[in-house]
Amino acid sequence: MSALLRSARLLRFSPSGLLQLTATKRTGPPLGRLYSGALTGTRTGACSRLASGNVCSRVWPNAAGCVRTYAIATEQKDEASVAVRSKQAQQFDWALTKLDSSVRRTGRITKTLLLRVFHDICRTGYPSGNQALLLLRSCGSLLPEVPLEERTELAHRVWEKLQDLGAQYDVSHYNAMLKVYLQNDFKFSPTDFLAKMEAANVQPNRVTYQRLIAAYCQNGDIEGASTILGFMKSRDLPITEAVFNSLLTGHARAGDITSSQNILTVMRGAGIEPGPDTYVSLLNVYAEKGDMDSLKKTLEAAESADCSLMDKDIMQVIFTLAKAGHQQQVPEIVERLRHERGYIPDAMNLCLSLITQGLEDTAFHILKTFPVQNDGNSDSPDLGSFFLRHCVNMGTSLEKISGYCKELQEANLHSAPLKFTLCCALEAKKTGLSLELMKMLKEQDLPIRPHYFWPLLTQHVKDNNTADVVDVVKGMQELGVIPDVETLTNYILPVFPSMEAARKALQDAGVSLESEGFLSSEIRSVAATNLAELYTRLSDSSFPPLDLIVFRGSLILGFRRSTDVESMAKITELLYKDERFSRENSKPVDTASFFMYNLIDSMSEGEVQAQEDKLRKYFNQLQAQNIIISGNIYRGVRNLLDSYHVPELIKDVLALVDPKDPLLSNGSAAAVPRATGTSNTAEELQKRLAKLKAENKPFDIILKQTINAFCAEENLQSALELKQQHEDEMTAGGYAALINLCCRHDNVEEALSLKREMSRKDSSVALDAPKYLALVKTLSKNGRVEEALDILKEMKEKDVVMSDTNITMLFHTLNSIVAKGGAPAIKRLQDTIFTLGLAKPTANLCSPLITAYLESKDLAGALDAALECQKLYNQLPRIHDIIVGLVEKGDTELLQKAMDVVSQERGEMTMLYDLFFAFLQTGRFREARKIIETPGLRARPGRLQWYAEKCIASSQMEALEQMVDMTAKLFECDRDEMYSYVLRFCKATNNWQKAEATWTKMQEENVIPRERTLRLLADILKKNGQEVPFEVPETWYEQAATTKEVKPAATPPKVESGNDYQAQLLALCKKGKAKEAYGMLKEADKKGVVLGPAPYDHLVRALLAEGSIDDAMAVKEIAASHVPGFVLSDIASSLLIISYSKKGQAKEALETLKSTLKADHVPSHLAVTRLVQGLGSCGDVAGIQEVEALMKSLGTTLNLSSMLFINNTAMAHIKTGDLETAVEQLESVYTSPDSTNPSMSFVFRKVLEDDNDKALDKLSAMAERLANHFACYRPASDLFLQLLDMDKVEDAKFMLARCNALAEQKVILMSYVAQKAQTPGQVGKIKALLSLIPDFTEKELLYPYLMKCHSLDKDLPSAKALYEQMQKHGSVDELSLKRLAVLYRNAGETLPFTEPPESFKFYAEKLKEKAAKTKTTAEE
């Protein structure tokens, strides 16, 4: 190679000067999106087909006549661990599969995919040679959407980054880079390339020489190519077809067409027959010259030589023609395309490459040659979407784009090209183009909606760019679009420093400040931050009506954050009395009541427990203001408080209920699932109890229900009196309910008495854990520690299981004793709990004991107790607070004792950190500095983070700053991490001056910030209108390679990047841990991490699946603020509709349906069904009719039942008491001449479930009338079967007696049997039907269903009995035998018959055929 280099260097000084070196500066754009499989004017290697530009005059970037740094011989770095290296193979397989799949399907690679693979490879820290080769090879023609220069920049970045990370490069990598250069028409010096390989101690091979020849020929440098060719001959390297193809191109570009044509003769003389690649190279030569005659002759010559050129080859010629400026010749060549298999992806790549080169018209001509598929599967063709998107991305003019759209629509090739183009422009954030496209849409009378502007506003808000936001708003005004609440709240107002500034700017832009949208947004902002101001504004009589639903979420957030109980109560009272904040059909009383329920529902268990005192004051103040809630609302709130394990608050809520409320009892009873489910009041139950007792009938169930009802009403006196009257009939459940009620009323004597009485009756009975803990809490608070200990011992004896929730209750129980019981009581309880093994010792459970000592200022006792916990349980609870107390007190003796123990048990470093944090906490910064400067002390990231978080939470900026300053020289301290804590504090307090000073300190300290730190700082500065003094990083892959000063050994992995958050969020959603995922999302949002739309949508779906609508909507708001144009997916929208419907919020569900349809999404079958049922339950006839109209306009049936709207409309009429209309409507369905006799079982079932006797009488009369007068038996059959299904056998028997023809409805009856046979435990209902109508069908049809029931129930004895019956009747089918055989095997018994050999499916199909033949014979 040295000899070759010497000869090549002589060329540098030749008169031609073709290879003169020129230094270049590489400051290209950041790593951009990659693209794929396009056609370029270059082919190299084995299929070299070249088309390139001028003579080379540049070299690799920064190569000023010397060897580029990254080409120096690679140094051997430390070997990676075996585990990392073994994992590389798996990652390479994954990357290769992804990229290979994309190339196979589309012939190209997307930019996003390539960057994702690049990021994952960089993140491992040890890229392999294979991975490097994979990435380098992907930076050429596989990226047709990316400009040529950007592709080469990307290749250089990949080369440098992977080499920095330790990738070992060999000749294959250099060859891959050569191929990329040729594909991207990159001008470089082949001589310098060889020099770099020599410096890197890498020997070139034949492929290298071939590609170097191609590089010379690409520039028309035949002299340079001949030098390389001579060297190849001297080394006896074979001269392949690829070399001849390069020479063919080289001669042509040197202006010697004759020599170019003679290459074919030379090839034949060398024994190489020209192949398709050679002919394509020659065709490209003529295409560059625009010589159509020679081009046609060459095509004919190729055909006569039996060289079949594929469509892809012809496309290469088309690209060359267009690129050389001969677009007028393209149509003639396009006619030669044969539309072979794979034509569409190849043609798409050609179009994309042409657009990238600025040849949109030629690309559009190719697009129109695409075959249009008229397969009948779609009425909305979308041919050309990729074309329009790329035109937008490449900045094609509006005139051209509008012309393309018009032509596509007129040719019926695209259903909505203009609208799609607008979507692309919005995604690309091209404001001017977007507004012009909207004007064009408006001219076509198409609607322009406020959310269209969200993508344009998002970035401006993020950049704090007030002027551009105002410009977009002006654009909205010009288009006649009024900003709605969501747009104002999330995308316009946040950019302004204050509401006054927003008012002035928007008023100048022409936005009405009196509009409901602006008012709602303003109120939302105030509601979340200042309740006192909110009350002042709402209570003003001039304030216009505003539905609470508009700002309910913000108001709930404000209530949860605020400690201003007085304002909370005032606002609630205002909602309670003022009609301005209620909907037309709602009363203010209901509005306030539902708000209170929603408030509790939005809070987590821990939040309710932590704010128990605040909520109690709130409820008491509402009672003082004479606010009354309904029994229904009380029931809901009670359910929530019961599930949150805060029963003490229930009586405070109960005080708000009107004692005369008839729903009080039924609501309360329903609130306790273990109680009863009855819908009677305690008084009514008491009467029924007396009646049953007088009739000498069993009444133990009614007794329990009555006691539960009294307990639900918090009526302890009546419950105890009832127990006294019927002591002999009391059950364990009744005693449990009474004991729990006594504990809530703090009646310890009665609770103990009931407990003893229950034990005397049955000593084996055990309470559940919450009731035992309630008893322990009540006893301990009243000084009855001994009895409390006995209860704990009983829990152990009776093996009461403690769940995690119970452990939390136990902690709150111990904490509640701090004020009254003191340390001795807690100590005894704690020791007993741990000794009995009821709970494992934890720092949390040990902490109440320490709290008791600290509350009484007994630091010595607290220290002794903590040290004893360490000795017994290896826990040091609240040691930080103890040390802080000792430092403040100045008790050096005890402090020394504490430090000695911590040092001995946890190590000297832990002791030093404890002391360090204590000095910081107490403001003794000089002593703290001495501690942290202890020689040999290392950084402990976990502990530093703990204290930093503590400072942020308690607003201790000085202590945090001091800690960051003192740890500057701490060994292995992550300085970027430390400064990021200060910046987080600055963001929370909006202190941009402090943030700017922090940035200066970071520069002084020469800290290399991570990408997230820079983004955090940039957000603070932009929010306050300050200039950002650095470039905000746009590429995320570099974070993996950021230089870190420390690599702590014991640091747990932390989630930093968006991809990490996304992966963990999706995993948590899949595991059903939606709340945990929601917490992680909020953490990510605080850190400024932006995710893609998928994790937001998945989390919304997961939260809705759990019924957490408010949290789901909060996630949606976060997503909308980060992802331009974010909309919920079809699945998420459908889940939201279902969730609203199940919660009885049918109006909200209907609005969601409308917005879903407006977004061109299609709701699911279940969503529409639940919505219509919800509207029916609410009595909303108009709403059902509106949904029906929307579904008809949708153009698809969604497989909705024909009776869905009819049945639910009838139910709506029934709910409103309009029985006549309901009956008339249903009757008309069955009396219609073209009636198909559909089912109305749904109506009968709902009426029976609601115990609506009046409606049932009307409907049953209608059913009988239709049966007797019109011979229409379907309604009567539906009623009969519903009665059977609800175990009302006597009523069904009476129905059958009145309408004997029901026994002849064999199809309906058999359908019922088939349905019941699908579910376990339903055989009794089939037998009940048989008892009423024994012979409604043939036994051979009935027996298989009965056997299936026994099989589902795993009931072998019953199956055996049925088998004997089947044998007697001689109708044993093979499917039943198959099922019976499985039961025998599962029971371990020997089969008394031969098991049929075929599958279940085989015999099921056989049975169906037999039944069909029987039916046909019967009909004949």
Side-chain angles (χ1 to χ4, degrees):
M1 187 170 73
S2 298
L4 176 61
L5 276 171
R6 281 194 298 273
S7 60
R9 283 167 186 153
L10 291 174
L11 293 171
R12 188 179 305 176
F13 303 101
S14 64
S16 63
L18 295 179
L19 297 177
Q20 183 178 357
L21 285 174
T22 305
T24 62
K25 184 178 180 182
R26 185 165 69 89
T27 55
L31 230 177
R33 283 187 50 222
L34 302 181
Y35 176 74
S36 56
L39 298 147
T40 64
T42 307
R43 291 199 182 187
T44 60
C47 52
S48 197
R49 300 172 185 177
L50 304 173
S52 98
N54 298 324
V55 176
C56 174
S57 61
R58 290 186 293 153
V59 295
W60 282 13
N62 297 329
C66 61
V67 178
R68 187 184 176 93
T69 55
Y70 66 75
I72 294 175
T74 52
E75 298 176 0
Q76 296 296 324
K77 296 192 176 183
D78 293 338
E79 288 297 322
S81 68
V82 177
V84 172
R85 287 296 187 193
S86 64
K87 193 174 181 182
Q88 281 181 353
Q90 301 172 4
Q91 291 172 336
F92 178 69
D93 290 342
W94 170 86
L96 181 62
T97 302
K98 281 285 187 184
L99 297 178
D100 185 59
S101 172
S102 179
V103 172
R104 286 177 184 276
R105 285 186 299 104
T106 65
R108 61 183 181 273
I109 297 170
T110 66
K111 199 174 188 181
T112 305
L113 175 60
L114 187 58
L115 284 178
R116 181 183 173 194
V117 172
F118 183 34
H119 167 63
D120 287 344
I121 290 173
C122 287
R123 196 170 50 178
T124 65
Y126 297 98
S128 68
N130 279 342
Q131 290 169 338
L133 198 59
L134 178 70
L135 290 172
L136 289 171
R137 287 174 174 173
S138 301
C139 295
S141 60
L142 290 175
L143 300 168
E145 289 175 298
V146 182
L148 302 181
E149 297 81 4
E150 193 174 333
R151 293 186 205 166
T152 309
E153 286 292 331
L154 176 59
H156 287 154
R157 285 168 183 256
V158 169
W159 182 285
E160 290 177 333
K161 181 60 64 180
L162 298 187
Q163 190 174 55
D164 289 344
L165 293 174
Q168 304 295 312
Y169 291 148
D170 55 30
V171 67
S172 64
H173 296 90
Y174 285 90
N175 290 341
M177 184 63 88
L178 276 175
K179 181 72 172 286
V180 168
Y181 283 173
L182 293 169
Q183 289 178 340
N184 294 344
D185 285 346
F186 180 67
K187 303 299 185 293
F188 70 102
S189 166
T191 308
D192 284 345
F193 193 94
L194 280 172
K196 293 170 180 59
M197 291 185 69
E198 183 180 38
N201 197 26
V202 176
Q203 294 297 319
N205 60 12
R206 178 174 57 83
V207 176
T208 313
Y209 296 132
Q210 288 179 178
R211 292 181 180 171
L212 288 172
I213 289 173
Y216 277 120
C217 291
Q218 197 173 42
N219 299 311
D221 184 359
I222 294 299
E223 187 178 358
S226 298
T227 304
I228 303 289
L229 188 61
F231 189 79
M232 289 181 70
K233 288 179 180 179
S234 68
R235 299 191 61 177
D236 293 328
L237 294 174
I239 309 302
T240 63
E241 182 184 6
V243 174
F244 283 111
N245 294 343
S246 298
L247 292 172
L248 189 154
T249 303
H251 281 297
R253 292 195 175 174
D256 188 357
I257 294 293
T258 304
S259 297
S260 182
Q261 293 168 338
N262 291 336
I263 289 290
L264 273 68
T265 306
V266 176
M267 288 177 68
R268 292 189 181 101
I272 300 175
E273 190 63 31
D277 289 339
T278 303
Y279 282 105
V280 172
S281 296
L282 189 55
L283 287 169
N284 279 325
V285 165
Y286 294 134
E288 284 185 355
K289 303 295 183 183
D291 187 350
M292 292 300 294
D293 292 335
S294 298
L295 196 149
K296 291 175 186 176
K297 289 178 183 177
T298 305
L299 285 170
E300 292 170 2
E303 289 176 11
S304 62
D306 200 22
C307 284
S308 178
L309 299 182
M310 300 186 300
D311 280 348
K312 195 168 185 177
D313 298 323
I314 302 298
M315 289 179 192
Q316 176 67 43
V317 179
I318 292 171
F319 181 82
T320 305
L321 273 171
K323 189 177 177 183
H326 307 299
Q327 293 93 331
Q328 69 277 7
Q329 312 291 353
V330 168
E332 191 174 349
I333 302 299
V334 168
E335 293 176 2
R336 294 181 177 270
L337 294 170
R338 292 177 292 186
H339 293 230
E340 300 164 335
R341 185 178 182 182
Y343 170 80
I344 289 181
D346 288 339
M348 286 176 67
N349 293 331
L350 172 59
C351 290
L352 293 168
S353 295
L354 288 167
I355 296 169
T356 303
Q357 294 290 328
L359 303 168
E360 302 90 355
D361 292 338
T362 307
F364 191 66
H365 181 79
I366 302 295
L367 176 68
K368 290 187 289 184
T369 68
F370 280 35
V372 180
Q373 297 178 351
N374 295 316
D375 54 6
N377 293 332
S378 176
D379 297 327
S380 301
D382 286 325
L383 179 65
S385 292
F386 79 96
F387 176 89
L388 295 172
R389 183 184 297 278
H390 196 41
C391 282
V392 169
N393 291 337
M394 295 306 297
T396 305
S397 66
L398 176 65
E399 291 75 20
K400 278 192 175 184
I401 291 176
S402 62
Y404 298 146
C405 291
K406 183 179 180 182
E407 199 167 337
L408 285 172
Q409 191 151 21
E410 288 174 352
N412 199 29
L413 297 177
H414 198 292
S415 58
L418 205 57
K419 193 172 182 181
F420 177 81
T421 307
L422 173 59
C423 178
C424 298
L426 291 171
E427 286 179 7
K429 297 182 178 62
K430 295 181 180 287
T431 305
L433 178 61
S434 299
L435 293 175
E436 291 301 323
L437 288 169
M438 289 184 199
K439 289 177 183 177
M440 294 172 65
L441 283 171
K442 190 173 183 182
E443 289 171 3
Q444 296 181 11
D445 294 328
L446 293 173
I448 307 297
R449 309 190 188 285
H451 69 264
Y452 289 6
F453 297 85
W454 292 358
L456 304 179
L457 291 165
T458 301
Q459 190 61 42
H460 297 326
V461 173
K462 186 176 179 182
D463 295 340
N464 206 34
N465 192 334
T466 310
D468 283 351
V469 169
V470 172
D471 286 342
V472 175
V473 173
K474 288 178 180 177
M476 295 179 72
Q477 295 297 110
E478 291 175 9
L479 290 164
V481 180
I482 300 173
D484 58 9
V485 181
E486 294 296 325
T487 307
L488 284 163
T489 304
N490 299 324
Y491 300 96
I492 296 178
L493 295 182
V495 80
F496 295 102
S498 66
M499 194 58 68
E500 287 305 317
R503 281 174 166 272
K504 185 178 185 306
L506 294 179
Q507 194 168 22
D508 293 342
V511 177
S512 172
L513 302 184
E514 305 303 320
S515 67
E516 184 178 348
F518 184 82
L519 180 66
S520 302
S521 303
E522 199 172 17
I523 291 301
R524 278 187 180 185
S525 175
V526 176
T529 55
N530 193 329
L531 294 182
E533 182 184 345
L534 177 68
Y535 174 73
T536 303
R537 296 196 60 176
L538 295 182
S539 59
D540 189 341
S541 58
S542 63
F543 189 84
L546 185 64
D547 190 349
L548 173 64
I549 195 69
V550 173
F551 63 98
R552 185 179 66 189
S554 301
L555 184 57
I556 287 174
L557 184 62
F559 270 43
R560 288 165 60 182
R561 290 175 174 173
S562 177
T563 57
D564 187 358
V565 178
E566 184 179 353
S567 294
M568 290 168 61
K570 285 181 179 179
I571 291 170
T572 309
E573 183 183 22
L574 189 63
L575 298 176
Y576 182 81
K577 295 178 179 179
D578 201 324
E579 295 182 353
R580 289 178 298 167
F581 310 109
S582 302
R583 294 189 172 183
E584 292 181 5
N585 300 327
S586 302
K587 299 177 181 178
V589 176
D590 296 333
T591 301
S593 299
F594 276 112
F595 171 75
M596 191 175 80
Y597 170 79
N598 288 322
L599 171 63
I600 303 300
D601 188 32
S602 70
M603 300 174 75
S604 65
E605 179 179 339
E607 199 174 357
V608 171
Q609 290 175 353
Q611 298 188 24
E612 183 177 344
D613 290 338
K614 183 181 93 171
L615 290 172
R616 182 174 288 108
K617 291 176 183 176
Y618 172 58
F619 293 142
N620 292 340
Q621 200 148 344
L622 293 182
Q623 183 186 6
Q625 292 170 341
N626 296 321
I627 290 177
I628 296 174
I629 63 173
S630 67
N632 266 335
I633 295 297
Y634 165 69
R635 178 182 62 190
V637 174
R638 179 197 173 91
N639 277 341
L640 293 170
L641 294 176
D642 191 56
S643 67
Y644 292 158
H645 307 290
V646 193
E648 293 82 359
L649 278 176
I650 293 176
K651 57 187 177 184
D652 297 298
V653 181
L654 180 62
L656 300 175
V657 185
D658 187 348
K660 299 177 183 178
D661 191 322
L663 293 176
L664 175 61
S665 179
N666 98 19
S668 301
V672 186
R674 295 180 294 275
T676 161
T678 180
S679 60
N680 297 311
T681 64
E683 187 178 350
E684 291 171 345
L685 288 169
Q686 211 166 5
K687 290 178 182 177
R688 287 177 61 187
L689 177 64
K691 183 179 178 183
L692 289 172
K693 187 172 183 179
E695 294 173 356
N696 202 23
K697 292 181 180 179
F699 58 86
D700 52 338
I701 295 176
I702 294 296
L703 174 61
K704 181 183 174 183
Q705 291 177 351
T706 310
I707 288 176
N708 281 329
F710 279 129
C711 291
E713 294 177 356
E714 300 290 331
N715 192 340
L716 178 60
Q717 189 62 37
S718 299
L720 291 174
E721 289 174 1
L722 186 64
K723 189 274 303 183
Q724 198 69 30
Q725 295 169 16
H726 306 284
E727 195 164 328
D728 294 337
E729 290 78 16
M730 284 291 291
T731 61
Y735 277 115
L738 284 172
I739 291 170
N740 207 29
L741 182 62
C742 289
C743 290
R744 290 206 295 272
H745 284 256
D746 207 24
N747 192 336
V748 64
E749 293 295 343
E750 197 63 54
L752 277 177
S753 175
L754 289 165
K755 176 69 180 61
R756 296 189 193 102
E757 194 174 315
M758 182 184 73
S759 299
R760 281 199 302 270
K761 285 195 171 188
D762 187 352
S763 59
S764 64
V765 173
L767 300 171
D768 59 19
K771 291 184 176 62
Y772 270 126
L773 292 178
L775 201 51
V776 169
K777 182 177 181 180
T778 305
L779 289 167
S780 302
K781 285 170 68 176
N782 286 275
R784 311 283 286 271
V785 180
E786 291 298 332
E787 287 94 333
L789 295 175
D790 291 338
I791 296 297
L792 291 173
K793 292 172 184 175
E794 183 178 325
M795 290 175 70
K796 176 62 177 177
E797 291 168 2
K798 296 185 176 178
D799 296 324
V800 176
V801 179
M802 296 279 283
S803 66
D804 291 341
T805 302
N806 301 143
I807 299 295
T808 304
M809 285 182 65
L810 189 57
F811 164 73
H812 287 297
T813 298
L814 294 173
N815 235 8
S816 66
I817 307 169
V818 169
K820 297 186 179 180
I826 297 175
K827 178 75 168 61
R828 295 188 64 190
L829 289 168
Q830 178 185 289
D831 290 347
T832 305
I833 290 165
F834 295 152
T835 303
L836 295 173
L838 292 173
K840 292 182 179 179
T842 63
N844 205 34
L845 285 178
C846 292
S847 64
L849 176 60
I850 311 303
T851 303
Y853 283 112
L854 291 176
E855 290 287 327
S856 61
K857 307 297 182 184
D858 185 358
L859 291 173
L863 179 60
D864 290 341
L867 297 183
E868 188 175 0
C869 287
Q870 170 62 34
K871 181 179 179 181
L872 296 175
Y873 313 122
N874 197 30
Q875 301 291 339
L876 267 176
R878 298 197 67 176
I879 190 67
H880 171 75
D881 298 306
I882 296 172
I883 295 173
V884 167
L886 292 172
V887 170
E888 285 180 336
K889 189 178 179 182
D891 193 333
T892 54
E893 186 178 345
L894 283 179
L895 184 60
Q896 186 61 51
K897 178 182 177 182
M899 292 298 97
D900 290 344
V901 173
V902 173
S903 178
Q904 181 181 350
E905 298 294 335
R906 299 292 173 90
E908 185 179 355
M909 195 174 291
T910 300
M911 178 269 292
L912 290 172
Y913 269 104
D914 285 335
L915 200 55
F916 173 60
F917 294 141
F919 285 141
L920 284 175
Q921 188 76 15
T922 54
R924 291 167 169 80
F925 301 129
R926 182 179 297 176
E927 291 86 346
R929 184 176 292 277
K930 290 178 181 178
I931 294 294
I932 206 64
E933 290 176 354
T934 302
L937 191 62
R938 288 170 171 261
R940 283 200 170 176
R943 299 223 58 190
L944 292 170
Q945 182 183 2
W946 168 80
Y947 189 72
E949 298 284 0
K950 184 180 177 68
C951 290
I952 294 171
S954 56
S955 300
Q956 293 178 296
M957 173 58 96
E958 187 181 9
L960 178 59
E961 279 190 298
Q962 288 290 338
M963 180 182 75
V964 173
D965 183 53
M966 292 176 191
T967 54
K969 296 182 180 179
L970 182 63
F971 184 62
E972 290 187 335
C973 182
D974 187 337
R975 301 305 295 155
D976 170 74
E977 187 76 11
M978 298 303 292
Y979 279 112
S980 72
Y981 296 135
V982 179
L983 291 175
R984 280 175 53 194
F985 199 122
C986 293
K987 186 171 184 179
T989 56
N990 199 28
N991 189 340
W992 68 267
Q993 293 93 341
K994 181 69 71 176
E996 195 172 50
T998 302
W999 171 242
T1000 304
K1001 285 184 180 179
M1002 291 176 71
Q1003 294 175 78
E1004 289 173 355
E1005 200 175 318
N1006 203 25
V1007 174
I1008 302 174
R1010 291 187 180 90
E1011 195 175 38
R1012 61 175 173 81
T1013 307
L1014 291 174
R1015 284 200 300 266
L1016 180 61
L1017 177 57
D1019 286 345
I1020 298 169
L1021 295 174
K1022 286 179 182 178
K1023 187 176 180 181
N1024 289 277
Q1026 302 302 310
E1027 183 181 352
V1028 179
F1030 50 82
E1031 183 181 355
V1032 182
E1034 296 296 333
T1035 56
W1036 36 259
Y1037 82 91
E1038 293 178 350
Q1039 182 177 341
T1042 299
T1043 304
K1044 295 183 179 180
E1045 295 181 14
V1046 302
K1047 290 185 179 178
T1051 307
K1054 297 176 68 177
V1055 178
E1056 297 288 359
S1057 72
N1059 274 13
D1060 293 336
Y1061 274 108
Q1062 179 163 324
Q1064 293 200 25
L1065 279 173
L1066 292 174
L1068 289 171
C1069 291
K1070 287 179 181 178
K1071 293 176 183 177
K1073 299 179 179 180
K1075 292 291 185 183
E1076 189 175 339
Y1078 180 45
M1080 179 176 286
L1081 177 66
K1082 290 193 286 187
E1083 175 192 346
D1085 191 43
K1086 288 179 182 176
K1087 291 182 177 181
V1089 177
V1090 179
L1091 311 177
Y1096 292 120
D1097 192 76
H1098 276 75
L1099 180 52
V1100 168
R1101 283 150 55 178
L1103 289 167
L1104 290 174
E1106 293 184 357
S1108 303
I1109 297 179
D1110 291 339
D1111 287 347
M1113 292 300 93
V1115 173
K1116 182 187 174 187
E1117 289 182 6
I1118 293 172
S1121 66
H1122 291 312
V1123 181
F1126 175 81
V1127 291
L1128 294 178
S1129 65
D1130 291 5
I1131 298 174
S1133 299
S1134 296
L1135 275 172
L1136 181 57
I1137 293 170
I1138 293 168
S1139 301
Y1140 275 136
S1141 302
K1142 286 173 69 177
K1143 283 204 170 190
Q1145 296 173 273
K1147 292 290 185 185
E1148 288 82 353
L1150 180 55
E1151 291 302 318
T1152 305
L1153 174 67
K1154 291 178 184 176
S1155 62
T1156 300
L1157 295 175
K1158 285 178 183 177
D1160 292 331
H1161 288 185
V1162 180
S1164 68
H1165 169 279
L1166 182 62
V1168 178
T1169 302
R1170 290 289 179 267
L1171 170 57
V1172 175
Q1173 290 173 350
L1175 292 167
S1177 300
C1178 297
D1180 190 348
V1181 176
I1184 296 173
Q1185 292 171 345
E1186 187 175 0
V1187 174
E1188 186 174 12
L1190 288 171
M1191 290 301 102
K1192 286 179 180 177
S1193 65
L1194 188 59
T1196 177
T1197 61
L1198 291 181
N1199 294 321
L1200 296 172
S1201 166
S1202 60
M1203 288 296 285
L1204 174 65
F1205 297 104
I1206 296 171
N1207 283 339
N1208 283 284
T1209 302
M1211 281 305 304
H1213 285 304
I1214 291 170
K1215 286 289 183 181
T1216 57
D1218 191 359
L1219 295 177
E1220 297 299 332
T1221 303
V1223 171
E1224 182 181 342
Q1225 180 183 348
L1226 289 169
E1227 199 165 15
S1228 66
V1229 172
Y1230 294 101
T1231 55
S1232 172
D1234 55 351
S1235 174
T1236 58
N1237 287 339
S1239 172
M1240 58 173 289
S1241 295
F1242 174 79
V1243 178
F1244 284 125
R1245 185 172 75 251
K1246 288 293 183 182
V1247 169
L1248 286 168
E1249 287 174 353
D1250 294 343
D1251 287 333
N1252 192 336
D1253 293 337
K1254 187 175 179 182
L1256 184 61
D1257 290 343
K1258 288 277 188 184
L1259 292 171
S1260 59
M1262 179 199 75
E1264 289 182 26
R1265 184 164 61 253
L1266 289 170
N1268 296 330
H1269 294 230
F1270 296 91
C1272 177
Y1273 300 105
R1274 186 55 189 258
S1277 301
D1278 288 341
L1279 177 55
F1280 170 71
L1281 293 175
Q1282 283 302 316
L1283 290 169
L1284 268 183
D1285 207 40
M1286 301 185 76
D1287 297 326
K1288 297 179 181 290
V1289 181
E1290 289 301 319
D1291 292 340
K1293 186 176 182 181
F1294 178 71
M1295 179 82 184
L1296 183 62
R1298 292 172 61 84
C1299 189
N1300 293 324
L1302 291 177
E1304 300 172 9
Q1305 309 306 309
K1306 294 184 178 182
V1307 175
I1308 297 175
L1309 297 177
M1310 276 307 298
S1311 176
Y1312 176 77
V1313 171
Q1315 179 190 356
K1316 294 295 117 183
Q1318 302 297 322
T1319 312
Q1322 300 296 311
V1323 70
K1325 291 177 180 176
I1326 297 177
K1327 289 182 177 179
L1329 175 60
L1330 286 171
S1331 68
L1332 297 179
I1333 313 174
D1335 301 315
F1336 70 87
T1337 190
E1338 293 78 7
K1339 297 297 182 186
E1340 58 266 23
L1341 292 177
L1342 183 63
Y1343 284 147
Y1345 287 112
L1346 288 172
M1347 184 60 78
K1348 185 177 182 180
C1349 289
H1350 296 321
S1351 175
L1352 288 172
D1353 295 340
K1354 297 180 175 55
D1355 187 355
L1356 180 58
S1358 297
K1360 287 180 179 178
L1362 177 62
Y1363 176 53
E1364 291 175 5
Q1365 289 181 34
M1366 296 170 76
Q1367 286 180 312
K1368 288 177 184 177
H1369 287 90
S1371 58
V1372 181
D1373 65 278
E1374 291 155 312
L1375 183 60
S1376 296
L1377 283 178
K1378 190 82 174 172
R1379 288 194 171 111
L1380 183 57
V1382 173
L1383 288 175
Y1384 268 106
R1385 275 203 307 275
N1386 291 341
E1389 298 186 22
T1390 306
L1391 274 66
F1393 53 83
T1394 303
E1395 182 179 355
E1398 299 293 339
S1399 66
F1400 280 98
K1401 184 178 181 181
F1402 175 83
Y1403 294 119
E1405 293 294 336
K1406 186 175 178 181
L1407 203 61
K1408 284 179 185 176
E1409 291 175 9
K1410 182 180 177 182
K1413 288 179 182 177
T1414 304
K1415 181 180 179 183
T1416 304
T1417 305
E1419 289 173 350
E1420 292 174 351

